[in-house]
Amino acid sequence: MVRPTPRPGASALLLLRYAALVTLSALFALPFLWMLGTSLTPADDVLDRFRPLFPARPAWENYAEALTVLPFGTFLGNTVLVSVLCMIGQTCSAALVAFAFARLRFPHRDRLFLLVLATMMLPPQVTMIPTFVLWTLPGWVDSLKPLIIPSFFGGGAFFIFLLRQFFLTVPAELEDAARLDGCTSWGIFRHVAVPMAKPALTTVALFSFIGHWNDFLGPLIYTQSMEKKTLAVGLTAFKSLHGTEYHLLMAASVVVLLPILVIFFCAQRYFVDGLASGAVKG
Amino acid sequence: MARMTARERKEARDALLFLSPWLAGFVLFTAGPILFSLFLSFCRWDVIRPIEWIGLANYRQMFQDRLLGTALVNTLVYAALYIPSSLAVALGLALLLNQKLKGMGVFRTLFYLPTLTQGVATFTLWSQIFDPENGLLNRGLRYVMAEPPRWLLDPAWAKPALVLMALWSVGGTMLIFLAGLKNIPAEVYEAANIDGARPATQFWRVTLPLLSPTIFFNVIMGTIGAFQVFSAAFVLTSGGPSNATLFYVYYLFNRAFVYFNMGYASAMAWLLFALVLALTVIQMRLGQKWVHYG
């Protein structure tokens, strides 16, 4: 693509910018490439200090072994179940709560919103122990219920706050016009606010999905038996069977990463456009 | 309170319905555990035997707990290293990604990649990278120095190593900074250009002040995050070497879920809560001086 050069030295500057981006990208991608290389290294060579980054003969059988030696399918099923349900629960319930804070008037609104923000400042380990105890009451420890159910109750302060900012940018005239036409609060939420906040909702859904896909502490505390574990925790088994089987661990990890990598790449434009909607473009 | 019209009452009732998921969640999952953990912090409980009220004994015991002191100092050192460096790196990367160049989507994904791969695999990967003999890092460092650090095996280098690892996944903070940068109106820069302000001057006089609400948000969240550092030490170092990476939450986790000292762990949690709350309040006071809203 040919462009007019604005001023002398500009193309040199452009080259410099790309050089910085490419160098840093390599630095950020290098450990991932190492992961990919290790996943394809034959078992006997994994601990060889002089082995190349990528093996001469890729051991594709590592992938077959990684997917069969542990109940990988079970882990994957649990992870998909938790991630999808939590994504739906957090996005929907955070949207409802955020809409009330952004568009409805009621007594003590600002004080209540401050309380929502305060829960974000509270370290989760303060409630970690009693929450664990809470889930023992109905006997739901060692099940996926403690990981899924809370998502449907407000979605957390971070998402409520984020969505509130977007619902606030919906022009008041649109809402007034809808009310004059006899629209209820639910109608305004459903037909005005939600369609206008689609990028923000996509952002929240994506953050939620990735967060639960990678969640380590939750499943570590609440799941004990093999058939209840998620991928993030289940993969530690490669460390304890007989020493760490790096080639299998890495092969399994690449398989875990691929779905969210594809999802992020397809939706990444919404991340920034979503977070910055209401910004002056340019 | 002033009397509400029928329309206002209707709107308040609607609001209550919309808020109900959060209100129910707060009562069911947040408020109860908060109060219960406060109660537990005055008790002795091993999950099996009945809860026994022991007053302030847990809090008194904390003052004599050498390991708790170690964990607290470790966490403070980690936070002091992590917070400024992660903010600088995340802001630097966001500035790079804020340029109007082709292929930015690819770079954005590559920079965010480590944030997507967090988890056990990443930790194992880094234990290989940090390996003093075979590790990628020291293989490179040997070209410039004879004896590179032994990283996770050296008490003096274990914490910096974990910070280095955490810096690799600042993608979330980076995205928030990027959104903040996109929010700065173009007219402000145009005005600065007309005034003949140089890029460095624009950065200090325009970008940073207008970005200050975002910086403030990331400082608060970075502080809360740093004081909760856990997984890396749990998987990579098991708190070692010589307790150099025994962080506060890791020690709390051991007390609660390994030794089942639930009462003591609750008291520890409340000490941490008080500490983080105090830091947050101080940061908010200081923030009034340097954060500019609109």
Side-chain angles (χ1 to χ4, degrees):
Chain A
M1 191 169 154
V2 182
R3 275 182 163 181
T5 313
R7 56 194 154 90
S11 59
L13 197 66
L14 189 71
L15 204 68
L16 204 70
R17 287 170 169 183
Y18 270 114
L21 281 167
V22 170
T23 310
L24 280 167
S25 297
L27 194 69
F28 276 81
L30 187 65
F32 172 70
L33 294 175
W34 175 263
M35 180 171 155
L36 210 58
T38 308
S39 74
L40 291 170
T41 302
D44 298 338
D45 301 342
V46 163
L47 296 173
D48 175 12
R49 67 178 288 191
F50 296 113
R51 71 185 168 82
L53 189 59
F54 278 92
R57 192 194 63 81
W60 295 105
E61 65 270 18
N62 287 349
Y63 280 82
E65 203 183 335
L67 296 177
T68 49
V69 74
L70 282 169
F72 193 89
T74 308
F75 296 162
L76 182 70
N78 290 338
T79 310
V80 170
L81 185 74
V82 170
S83 304
V84 169
L85 285 179
C86 287
M87 179 182 74
I88 294 167
Q90 285 198 297
T91 311
C92 295
S93 65
L96 287 170
V97 177
F99 177 78
F101 281 120
R103 310 301 312 193
L104 300 177
R105 281 155 300 231
F106 55 93
H108 306 299
R109 182 176 70 177
D110 295 344
R111 254 174 256 173
L112 198 62
F113 188 65
L114 202 63
L115 184 64
V116 174
L117 289 186
T119 64
M120 200 160 46
M121 298 167 192
L122 192 78
Q125 49 275 16
V126 173
T127 51
M128 193 165 76
I129 298 156
T131 306
F132 177 82
V133 174
L134 193 74
W135 292 110
T136 63
L137 297 179
W140 283 349
V141 166
D142 198 27
S143 82
L144 298 174
K145 293 187 187 84
L147 305 178
I148 296 167
I149 291 172
S151 294
F152 287 83
F153 289 85
F158 184 87
F159 292 144
I160 293 173
F161 192 18
L162 185 61
L163 287 176
R164 172 187 176 261
Q165 303 306 95
F166 284 91
F167 287 144
L168 278 172
T169 65
V170 175
E173 305 86 69
L174 268 179
E175 189 189 333
D176 294 341
R179 281 214 190 270
L180 282 177
D181 287 348
C183 232
T184 59
S185 296
W186 171 257
I188 290 164
F189 171 73
R190 185 69 194 80
H191 301 293
V192 180
V194 166
M196 291 198 71
K198 263 184 189 159
L201 290 164
T202 311
T203 305
V204 167
L206 209 46
F207 269 136
S208 171
F209 186 86
I210 292 169
H212 286 97
W213 190 276
N214 286 332
D215 182 28
F216 183 76
L217 192 56
L220 181 74
I221 292 172
Y222 291 111
T223 63
Q224 283 126 30
S225 51
M226 269 308 208
E227 63 267 26
K228 293 290 173 0
K229 285 190 189 301
T230 62
L231 287 167
V233 167
L235 285 177
T236 45
F238 284 117
K239 273 182 79 120
S240 53
L241 285 179
H242 16 269
T244 301
E245 293 168 300
Y246 287 109
H247 56 299
L248 298 185
L249 180 63
M250 293 308 160
S253 302
V254 170
V255 175
V256 174
L257 174 64
L258 283 180
I260 49 172
L261 189 64
V262 171
I263 290 169
F264 181 85
F265 192 78
C266 294
Q268 55 91 17
R269 141 184 100 85
Y270 287 110
F271 261 116
V272 165
D273 289 351
L275 282 167
S277 107
V280 177
K281 302 277 183 235
Chain B
M1 189 187 303
R3 283 186 55 189
M4 293 163 77
T5 64
R7 190 179 169 278
E8 282 169 343
R9 270 201 301 276
K10 173 86 176 72
E11 198 167 327
R13 268 203 308 276
D14 288 346
L16 194 65
L17 281 176
F18 277 94
L19 290 171
S20 57
W22 182 82
L23 290 170
F26 183 76
V27 171
L28 279 173
F29 308 116
T30 314
I34 285 173
L35 293 174
F36 188 60
S37 92
L38 186 63
F39 165 72
L40 264 191
S41 73
F42 300 107
C43 298
R44 181 184 291 132
W45 191 36
D46 62 0
V47 187
I48 297 155
R49 277 168 293 191
I51 299 173
E52 181 193 344
W53 180 269
I54 54 169
L56 287 169
N58 285 326
Y59 290 93
R60 272 199 291 272
Q61 192 191 336
M62 283 199 291
F63 285 98
Q64 282 137 29
D65 189 343
R66 287 243 178 118
L67 223 44
L68 186 140
T70 307
L72 198 56
V73 171
N74 284 341
T75 307
L76 287 169
V77 171
Y78 179 86
L81 290 173
Y82 171 76
I83 298 164
S85 57
S86 68
L87 288 172
V89 168
L91 180 57
L93 295 177
L95 286 167
L96 264 178
L97 291 180
N98 194 35
Q99 302 173 97
K100 270 169 266 148
L101 296 177
K102 274 187 158 280
M104 237 359 136
V106 176
F107 292 120
R108 208 180 278 162
T109 308
L110 283 172
F111 283 23
Y112 198 74
L113 189 61
T115 312
L116 290 175
T117 60
Q118 278 171 329
V120 174
T122 320
F123 295 142
T124 311
L125 191 70
W126 276 92
S127 80
Q128 285 204 348
I129 289 171
F130 281 132
D131 187 278
E133 314 304 329
N134 304 332
L136 201 62
L137 188 59
N138 277 7
R139 274 200 237 174
L141 281 176
R142 270 195 207 93
Y143 290 107
V144 289
M145 58 170 81
E147 272 188 64
R150 294 181 62 76
W151 300 111
L152 297 174
L153 300 179
D154 183 343
W157 283 99
K159 278 188 280 284
L162 290 186
V163 170
L164 202 64
M165 194 185 93
L167 288 183
W168 190 52
S169 45
V170 291
T173 313
M174 177 188 82
L175 273 190
I176 292 166
F177 270 135
L178 189 55
L181 288 170
K182 295 252 180 229
N183 237 344
I184 299 175
E187 302 95 76
V188 184
Y189 287 108
E190 281 157 20
N193 274 331
I194 292 165
D195 291 347
R198 291 199 288 185
T201 316
Q202 285 190 18
F203 175 74
W204 291 106
R205 296 283 175 80
V206 178
T207 309
L208 277 188
L210 288 175
L211 197 63
S212 62
T214 313
I215 298 171
F216 182 66
F217 174 84
N218 280 333
V219 168
I220 300 274
M221 292 318 251
T223 307
I224 293 171
F227 276 84
Q228 290 166 14
V229 58
F230 170 73
S231 314
F234 181 80
V235 180
L236 266 186
T237 58
S238 304
S242 317
N243 287 333
T245 58
L246 182 78
F247 296 119
Y248 199 93
V249 176
Y250 187 21
Y251 183 49
L252 185 153
F253 179 88
N254 278 346
R255 279 292 193 148
F257 297 105
V258 177
Y259 301 108
F260 291 101
N261 303 139
M262 288 293 182
Y264 189 70
S266 296
M268 276 188 69
W270 278 89
L271 180 69
L272 183 68
F273 170 70
L275 201 73
V276 174
L277 187 70
L279 276 173
T280 307
V281 169
I282 292 169
Q283 281 170 342
M284 284 182 155
R285 292 264 165 81
L286 292 174
Q288 286 172 349
K289 290 194 178 131
W290 63 270
V291 182
H292 308 278
Y293 294 97

